[in-house]
Amino acid sequence: MVLLGTTWHNVTGAISVGVGKSDLLVRTDTIDDSTDENNESFYLKATLSSNGVDYKATGTATIIDNDDTTLTVNPNAASNNINVDEGENAVFTVSIGEAGESSTITLMLADGTAIDADYFDSASAGFFQYSTDGGTTWHNVTGAISVAAGNSSLLVRTDTIDDSTDENNELFSLHASLSSNGKTLTATGTATIIDNDDTSLTINPTAANNNINVDEGDHAVFTVSIGKAAENSSITLTLADGTALDADYFDSGNAAGVFEYSTDNGANWTPITG
């Protein structure tokens, strides 16, 4: 006989049982939580009082967990990458799904084309922090961070350095490692620092029409202003005739002629040879 469970009654106490052979279906609900956990068992215990004798039996039910923990950095960003303007804070989103009880997460920054001097400078005023309340409160990242069971998210922020060097856009990474229910999950997201520096070159920047006046017989001293040059930059200097000819200013054939530069505001001068 197959019992279909057409009619159900709440269990409130002793239940009358028919004479002879009979069957009961007994049901209870299980909770579909969002916590990764091991399969778990519970029991149904029955005591039958019949003809002055008590008979006892126990059955078990095993709840098969249906939760898989997930870990993602920057889940809503293309290729898990965020862009940040140089000098602004890079804010990563770490999404945790169905974590087990007593889970912890470890966070670490890693260089890419951006190095530590481009973003988090641990030796100065730089910071590396996380928030569990949407950015209202921030805590320094100093080690493993406790994570609530179930679904949660962290914001993680670090500063980027607003330098004065023209360079390519550069990226660095946030690595996350989650320990949950005996398992370790890892995820990585990147941040691209968008450079805000444009190299500039000006001669006599404070002079009208970039022209200086010099009395005949005195040195003509030009000011060459360089803004936000990239690493390993170089500059080449040449003189060119206008209405003045070489004999009017620098005579390369004259041992007394000078064509020199100074990088210390004129304290020392070096001949220009190339």
Side-chain angles (χ1 to χ4, degrees):
M1 180 180 68
V2 178
L3 299 181
L4 299 178
T6 302
T7 305
W8 293 91
H9 309 277
N10 291 330
V11 176
T12 58
I15 302 166
S16 296
V17 177
V19 175
K21 178 176 174 55
S22 62
D23 292 305
L24 295 177
L25 292 181
V26 181
R27 72 177 182 181
T28 189
D29 53 335
T30 64
I31 308 303
D32 188 6
D33 58 28
S34 58
T35 301
D36 183 33
E37 54 202 348
N38 296 326
N39 296 338
E40 299 170 312
S41 297
F42 67 101
Y43 304 97
L44 175 67
K45 295 184 177 182
T47 300
L48 174 67
S49 296
S50 177
N51 197 30
V53 179
D54 286 344
Y55 301 86
K56 298 181 181 295
T58 299
T60 61
T62 299
I63 303 172
I64 307 302
D65 186 65
N66 64 356
D67 302 298
D68 291 318
T69 302
T70 59
L71 176 66
T72 312
V73 180
N74 300 332
N76 297 320
S79 301
N80 304 106
N81 177 80
I82 58 171
N83 292 330
V84 54
D85 290 333
E86 184 178 87
E88 301 295 328
N89 293 338
V91 182
F92 298 85
T93 300
V94 180
S95 179
I96 302 165
E98 302 185 345
E101 296 287 344
S102 303
S103 295
T104 60
I105 191 168
T106 302
L107 303 170
M108 182 179 67
L109 295 172
D111 292 349
T113 52
I115 59 175
D116 191 52
D118 294 311
Y119 56 106
F120 170 63
D121 186 355
S122 57
S124 60
F127 56 82
F128 180 31
Q129 301 174 321
Y130 71 94
S131 173
T132 58
D133 57 9
T136 301
T137 307
W138 293 92
H139 310 276
N140 291 331
V141 176
T142 57
I145 301 164
S146 295
V147 174
N151 301 320
S152 63
S153 65
L154 298 175
L155 295 180
V156 182
R157 71 178 182 180
T158 189
D159 54 331
T160 65
I161 309 304
D162 190 6
D163 58 27
S164 58
T165 302
D166 184 32
E167 54 200 348
N168 294 326
N169 296 337
E170 298 173 314
L171 64 83
F172 64 99
S173 301
L174 174 69
H175 295 316
S177 178
L178 177 68
S179 296
S180 176
N181 197 34
K183 296 177 289 187
T184 300
L185 288 81
T186 59
T188 297
T190 58
T192 299
I193 303 172
I194 306 301
D195 185 64
N196 62 358
D197 302 300
D198 291 320
T199 301
S200 62
L201 177 64
T202 312
I203 299 177
N204 301 328
T206 61
N209 298 317
N210 305 105
N211 177 79
I212 57 170
N213 293 326
V214 54
D215 291 333
E216 187 176 78
D218 289 340
H219 289 156
V221 181
F222 298 86
T223 299
V224 180
S225 179
I226 303 166
K228 300 182 177 179
E231 297 287 342
N232 302 314
S233 295
S234 63
I235 189 168
T236 302
L237 302 170
T238 58
L239 295 171
D241 293 346
T243 53
L245 303 177
D246 190 53
D248 296 310
Y249 55 103
F250 172 66
D251 185 355
S252 59
N254 186 341
V258 294
F259 182 31
E260 301 172 321
Y261 71 94
S262 173
T263 59
D264 56 9
N265 203 32
N268 296 280
W269 293 89
T270 303
I272 296 173
T273 57

PDB file of all heavy atoms in Angstrom, residues 18 188 211 271:
ATOM      1  N   GLY A  18      -4.983   2.454  14.921  1.00  0.00           N
ATOM      2  CA  GLY A  18      -5.956   1.413  14.665  1.00  0.00           C
ATOM      3  C   GLY A  18      -5.435   0.039  15.075  1.00  0.00           C
ATOM      4  O   GLY A  18      -4.232  -0.201  15.159  1.00  0.00           O
ATOM      5  N   THR A 188      40.483  36.858  -7.629  1.00  0.00           N
ATOM      6  CA  THR A 188      41.325  38.024  -7.884  1.00  0.00           C
ATOM      7  C   THR A 188      40.544  39.049  -8.706  1.00  0.00           C
ATOM      8  O   THR A 188      39.808  38.696  -9.625  1.00  0.00           O
ATOM      9  CB  THR A 188      42.595  37.628  -8.661  1.00  0.00           C
ATOM     10  OG1 THR A 188      43.376  36.723  -7.861  1.00  0.00           O
ATOM     11  CG2 THR A 188      43.443  38.851  -8.984  1.00  0.00           C
ATOM     12  N   ASN A 211      59.584  85.138 -25.424  1.00  0.00           N
ATOM     13  CA  ASN A 211      60.777  85.872 -25.856  1.00  0.00           C
ATOM     14  C   ASN A 211      61.421  86.604 -24.689  1.00  0.00           C
ATOM     15  O   ASN A 211      60.741  87.252 -23.882  1.00  0.00           O
ATOM     16  CB  ASN A 211      60.408  86.893 -26.937  1.00  0.00           C
ATOM     17  CG  ASN A 211      61.611  87.730 -27.358  1.00  0.00           C
ATOM     18  OD1 ASN A 211      62.442  87.269 -28.138  1.00  0.00           O
ATOM     19  ND2 ASN A 211      61.711  88.953 -26.844  1.00  0.00           N
ATOM     20  N   PRO A 271      78.760  72.202 -20.472  1.00  0.00           N
ATOM     21  CA  PRO A 271      78.695  72.441 -21.906  1.00  0.00           C
ATOM     22  C   PRO A 271      77.724  71.478 -22.585  1.00  0.00           C
ATOM     23  O   PRO A 271      77.636  70.290 -22.229  1.00  0.00           O
ATOM     24  CB  PRO A 271      80.137  72.195 -22.380  1.00  0.00           C
ATOM     25  CG  PRO A 271      80.961  72.409 -21.157  1.00  0.00           C
ATOM     26  CD  PRO A 271      80.141  71.932 -19.998  1.00  0.00           C
TER      27      PRO A 271
END
